[in-house]
Amino acid sequence: MFLAINEIKKEKLRYGLIIAVIMMIAYLIFILSSLALGLSNENTTAVKSWQVQSVAMSKDADGNLTQSMLTSQDYQQAKQSDNDVVALAQGILKNNSSHEAATFIGIDAGSRIDRKIQITQGRNWKTSNEVVLSNKLADKGFKLGQTVKMGMGSQNYTVVGFAKNAEYNMAPVVYGDRSQWNSIKGVNSNFVASGLVAKQTIHTKYSNLQVLNLSQLFNKMPGYSAQNSTFTFMIAFLVIISVVIVAIFLYILTVQKLQNFAVLRAQGVPSRYLIQNTLAETILIMLIAVVASMILALLTSLVIPSAVPMYFDFNLIGLTGLGLTVMGILGAIIPIRIIAKIDPVTVIGG
């Protein structure tokens, strides 16, 4: 370690450039991870906030809850005492000056979901002509006390509150009374809701219904799996690139120092000491680069606008940084093999 520190101090520019390149790659990995997590949350955060485990919907909807429509018969077949009814309708939320795509989620007053709504401004809805909007809509100009219209309905609703963790399938949520769902979605009274959700697994033998767990529900959302797969591929590719870069840099440094290593070997310094020095050097480079990139990620999280769908999970970032450090150490295998095979007579000559 002592030799590694002194070497880095002596060659500040060379090691500084190496650390800067690795730091930028690690920073890019953290930013992409946060963006992937943020986009994932924009799809799922509303359902996760309900703290349910399974969803029952019409089989024809093919797992898409917003496309599901339950008839009264479907509802009676699947309804159990611990189930909550949800009625989803995608549409445009309008006031005098703003139009925003949103998802209306109709629920019953006093239900589990109603109690789970996390109000940040105002209060929860109480009557059928009141709604609670996602915080995202407050950032887009919607205000408490405003009158709005939703979807295909012509009725006016009063905004009485804003809630956090209220996004579904990339759209902000509008919570309101389930009785308004038919007019907002534009369907007749034969249909009563989109589905049922429960904290436990819903059991039904009714052939018109299908039951999904949360993982299955999210993977059926349009674009959700493709989006996550794309980010996972990009992040994995960046990790591999970082390992290759570390290996190339250490290989070049080792080749440049071959004669020095050969002299040390000829003076009786064991290979084990030189290998330990290379490992210590690698660990120092990776630690400095990863910590610096984590500080950059922290500063970014403080200044990034709330409209950008990024979620910085620093536990995850810490684990990713640890993984990068380990992968960087693996990149030192080739230089270590070269050092282990140094023959002083061949390198120095004589």
Side-chain angles (χ1 to χ4, degrees), residues 295-339:
I295 292 171
L296 274 180
L298 174 63
L299 294 175
T300 304
S301 71
L302 297 177
V303 299
I304 198 82
S306 60
V308 180
M310 297 181 75
Y311 180 75
F312 290 84
D313 183 340
F314 282 95
N315 290 326
L316 178 63
I317 287 175
L319 286 174
T320 306
L322 182 62
L324 275 173
T325 305
V326 173
M327 296 298 283
I329 293 171
L330 291 178
I333 289 176
I334 294 175
I336 285 173
R337 282 177 58 84
I338 293 174
I339 294 169

Side-chain angles (χ1 to χ4, degrees), residues 61-92:
D62 192 29
N64 188 340
L65 188 58
T66 56
Q67 298 301 319
S68 172
M69 292 192 293
L70 300 185
T71 62
S72 299
Q73 186 181 4
D74 298 333
Y75 172 73
Q76 292 301 329
Q77 289 291 333
K79 178 63 180 171
Q80 296 171 8
S81 59
D82 55 351
N83 292 354
D84 274 2
V85 190
V86 290
L88 280 68
Q90 292 175 324
I92 302 298

